[in-house]
Amino acid sequence: DNKLLWYVAPSIRQWRKSGRFNTQCYSTRFVAGANHDKARKELEEACGKLHNVHTLNDLAVANLINEQQSTVYLDFDGWNDGERAGVAVLHAAPLQVTAVNFAGTTGAPWLHYSI
């Protein structure tokens, strides 16, 4: 449950409406049933569609993101359990951003920004 979703979802909605960015959202974690938290529901509404890719390996996810020509890859997991750093390593999108839950840098040269 990443509270950052609450803050990012309105921006994603605006990006999608502006047409300046190809906004696609992907979930790399398994979600059981319809009991999503409010932040996830907000993200689903902001994105228009949330692609569940938790069964795909990193290469398949990166290829899908690239094929759909997503502008930004925003990773909410950082270096936490279940993270999918391999997707970013494969340069899934032209701009790659990660959310970090600590003060500092990831030290990963394939990530352009941290929030």
Side-chain angles (χ1 to χ4, degrees), residues 15 21-26 65 69-75 92-98 112-113:
W15 297 341
F21 299 95
N22 181 5
T23 306
Q24 303 281 333
C25 295
Y26 308 86
I65 292 169
Q69 299 179 344
S70 295
T71 308
V72 179
Y73 175 73
L74 174 55
D75 172 27
L95 182 62
Q96 303 197 129
V97 182
T98 188
H112 302 107
Y113 297 99

Side-chain angles (χ1 to χ4, degrees), residues 24-95:
Q24 303 281 333
C25 295
Y26 308 86
S27 174
T28 58
R29 293 185 180 262
F30 176 72
V31 178
N35 296 326
H36 306 312
D37 65 359
K38 289 181 181 180
R40 184 180 175 90
K41 284 184 180 180
E42 178 72 17
L43 183 62
E44 288 174 348
E45 291 172 8
C47 294
K49 178 175 181 170
L50 186 61
H51 304 276
N52 286 307
V53 295
H54 66 275
T55 60
L56 302 178
N57 65 32
D58 290 346
L59 179 59
V61 174
N63 284 339
L64 177 64
I65 292 169
N66 189 274
E67 287 167 12
Q68 293 183 337
Q69 299 179 344
S70 295
T71 308
V72 179
Y73 175 73
L74 174 55
D75 172 27
F76 288 104
D77 290 326
W79 300 127
N80 295 317
D81 287 340
E83 53 83 18
R84 300 287 297 268
V87 175
V89 168
L90 294 165
H91 297 279
L95 182 62

